[in-house]
Amino acid sequence: MKSVNGTSSDPSGHPPEGSGAPDLKGLFRRSARGDETAFGELYDATAARVHGLVLRVVRDPAQSEEVTQECFLEVWRTASRFDPDRGSPLSWLMTIAHRRAVDRVRSAEASSRRDSTYHDESQPVDHDSTAEAATTAIEAKRVRLAMQSLTEAQREALELAYFGGYTHTEVASMLDLPVGTAKTRIRDGLIRLRDTLGVAQ
Amino acid sequence: MSDIHGLVGAYAIDAVDDIERERFEQHLEDCADCRDEVATLREAGAMLSSLTTTQPPSSVRDRLMADISTVRPLPPPVTSLSQHSEKRRRRWFPAAVAAAAAVAVLGGGAVVLQPWQDQGTQQQVTATARVLQAPDAEEVSAKLDGDAAAKVVRSPKLGQAVLVTKDMPSAPDGKVYQLWLQNTEGRMVPAGLMPDEANQKVLLDGDAASATAAGITVEPDGGSKEPTTNPIALFPFKQSA
Ligand SMILES: [Zn+2]
């Protein structure tokens, strides 16, 4: 039950990308060797996803730009540590981005916790016309559908954790749940999402 | 502790605090199920980012491309091996030969040993977590005999480094693993003694910001003021420009 392996099938469960869609693994490999052009292509293919998530979590545009930049700088520096046998390039990248975004809000808020509610007006989805944007739009449709397969309680907890950047303990308190309940909902929600999307089986 | 597995979802998407993260990462070293689950849940989590795409301003790209030309990509993790026997253990790591040469030219100098055991555990945990999570943290890995592995995570900004070991065998009877930081003059400065545990995260004593490398040697119980054996592992640090 080796879950993620870098065989020919895309471990992230993405729909096969059409010609013209970038080969992220190849771009990672070339970036690791110091190929700045490849890194630029990697950035172009993924910046909207990274920045969109960072902005969603951090909210402040200027800080979000910093975090996005730091995140890609880390990717440039550590691309050689990416191991395709242990996950997809996108997962690796988004893990870095999410962690950095969360670190940013948590360190910033030691003094002042954001008190706005989670539901902003939906972020501007600034799709451009590249093949990557089209692929992402298709994926977004699938993800939105998959999110419908979660219970309301799971979805709520998962969104607060992933997009809100809150810890499961904070989520529990925000939702008036006993400690320990939120982490179960987050896990169950992610499992449901994973299985519905057919990720990594 | 028994339901630590249950933290896997929260951990996968960073919904844990520092202490929980620390504990869960310790758990991950011994739990293949959780490692697999973290990987698959992260794949699923990553797909959520398709819901929030926003193109950053082009100035971000411009700054980034200017930045990367000044930053050297890390080499792939250096792996090497040593064997259980003391003889093999004392061999150099090939990648670290240059740094190793400096060990032979040691000055005297009185240095106070500060074994970690003397520090408050709580304080250690937080300091360790801070280094591991520092935005500028950089890793140097080494593979030891069998399944043992070790890496040093350093934050130049915090001036601290943490050694993380996995499946480390006990030091021979009457011996102890001692940690060192190599200073800019090439001298190995004691950075503490390793507790006798297979999997651990220990904070190195001393100024890791200016250090050029970290190393592990086998020393008589109580440690030495300077290395008396060749390092079983060396971790050369990236030199800031
Ligand atoms: Zn487990």
Side-chain angles (χ1 to χ4, degrees):
Chain A
M1 97 138 224
K2 192 71 194 151
S3 32
V4 183
N5 44 53
T7 51
S8 54
S9 69
D10 187 335
S12 71
H14 294 170
E17 291 169 323
S19 58
D23 159 30
L24 294 184
K25 276 181 206 159
L27 292 177
F28 261 91
R29 261 197 311 277
R30 286 164 55 201
S31 297
R33 297 187 210 123
D35 182 337
E36 298 185 7
T37 307
F39 182 74
E41 285 174 40
L42 177 66
Y43 177 89
D44 292 337
T46 56
R49 296 182 75 120
V50 167
H51 188 62
L53 176 64
V54 168
L55 190 60
R56 182 65 169 265
V57 174
V58 174
R59 297 177 190 225
D60 177 73
Q63 286 199 50
S64 299
E65 287 173 26
E66 273 175 37
V67 172
T68 296
Q69 199 177 331
E70 285 169 12
C71 163
F72 276 103
L73 200 56
E74 179 174 342
V75 170
W76 166 257
R77 210 170 55 78
T78 60
S80 63
R81 308 301 157 100
F82 166 66
D83 178 356
D85 291 340
R86 289 168 57 191
S88 70
L90 192 68
S91 171
W92 196 74
L93 181 63
M94 297 317 299
T95 298
I96 291 177
H98 192 262
R99 176 66 187 278
R100 281 193 172 264
V102 162
D103 282 354
R104 175 63 71 108
V105 287
R106 288 190 193 154
S107 61
E109 82 199 354
S111 41
S112 62
R113 193 16 147 168
R114 295 153 300 160
D115 55 3
S116 49
T117 53
Y118 149 71
H119 280 290
D120 264 345
E121 297 315 308
S122 56
Q123 296 282 352
V125 177
D126 189 10
H127 280 142
D128 58 18
S129 56
T130 62
E132 179 62 21
T135 311
T136 309
I138 295 166
E139 183 184 320
K141 209 168 287 175
R142 291 177 63 218
V143 172
R144 234 173 257 121
L145 269 176
M147 284 296 271
Q148 299 306 314
S149 72
L150 274 59
T151 68
E152 180 63 36
Q154 290 169 351
R155 193 161 55 238
E156 195 174 33
L158 178 56
E159 286 181 344
L160 280 170
Y162 193 75
F163 293 123
Y166 297 102
T167 66
H168 73 92
T169 313
E170 291 165 339
V171 171
S173 150
M174 292 162 98
L175 299 177
D176 287 321
L177 299 170
V179 177
T181 310
K183 74 177 177 207
T184 306
R185 290 187 184 176
I186 291 166
R187 181 188 186 186
D188 291 348
L190 277 171
I191 289 172
R192 185 81 67 94
L193 184 66
R194 176 193 71 189
D195 295 347
T196 308
L197 288 169
V199 175
Q201 283 308 317
Chain B
M1 262 320 245
S2 57
D3 66 341
I4 183 106
H5 304 282
L7 211 53
V8 63
Y11 172 82
I13 58 167
D14 306 307
V16 289
D17 63 32
D18 293 350
I19 304 292
E20 288 171 324
R21 177 182 289 119
E22 191 77 13
R23 269 181 37 206
F24 194 77
E25 284 178 351
Q26 210 97 47
H27 169 70
L28 275 184
E29 310 201 334
D30 304 317
C31 183
D33 285 350
C34 279
R35 282 201 300 271
D36 283 350
E37 191 170 335
V38 165
T40 62
L41 296 185
R42 279 186 169 160
E43 297 286 341
M47 293 186 81
L48 288 171
S49 66
S50 66
L51 300 177
T52 56
T53 60
T54 304
Q55 205 68 46
S58 58
S59 55
V60 174
R61 191 186 199 279
D62 296 342
R63 284 195 299 265
L64 180 67
M65 295 310 286
D67 278 358
I68 62 165
S69 59
T70 68
V71 175
R72 174 177 172 265
L74 289 177
V78 173
T79 57
S80 190
L81 46 118
S82 61
Q83 299 294 344
H84 271 285
S85 77
E86 187 68 15
K87 225 184 304 167
R88 296 294 299 275
R89 186 184 286 286
R90 289 179 57 175
R91 283 174 43 164
W92 296 107
F93 277 75
V97 172
V103 180
V105 204
L106 289 166
V111 187
V112 181
L113 289 176
Q114 293 184 298
W116 292 290
Q117 290 89 322
D118 293 346
Q119 297 177 358
T121 313
Q122 191 58 42
Q123 188 190 337
Q124 259 186 71
V125 168
T126 19
T128 302
R130 256 206 316 274
V131 173
L132 296 176
Q133 289 162 35
D136 64 335
E138 50 194 45
E139 283 184 14
V140 192
S141 300
K143 199 174 175 309
L144 293 104
D145 41 341
D147 287 327
K151 68 177 178 185
V152 170
V153 180
R154 178 178 73 137
S155 162
K157 213 156 81 194
L158 295 172
Q160 289 180 313
V162 169
L163 174 79
V164 182
T165 63
K166 190 175 157 290
D167 300 328
M168 187 91 176
S170 288
D173 262 357
K175 307 279 185 176
V176 64
Y177 292 121
Q178 186 164 3
L179 300 170
W180 308 87
L181 283 172
Q182 186 175 42
N183 68 18
T184 44
E185 287 127 34
R187 231 165 63 73
M188 286 299 209
V189 179
L193 302 178
M194 260 169 66
D196 185 18
E197 280 169 35
N199 300 312
Q200 52 181 312
K201 299 187 169 87
V202 281
L203 192 68
L204 275 66
D205 292 332
D207 175 19
S210 63
T212 56
I216 308 175
T217 62
V218 179
E219 299 293 340
D221 262 345
S224 308
K225 285 178 180 167
E226 49 185 78
T228 61
T229 61
N230 288 343
I232 59 163
L234 259 181
F235 308 85
F237 293 145
K238 187 177 67 133
Q239 298 308 298
S240 52

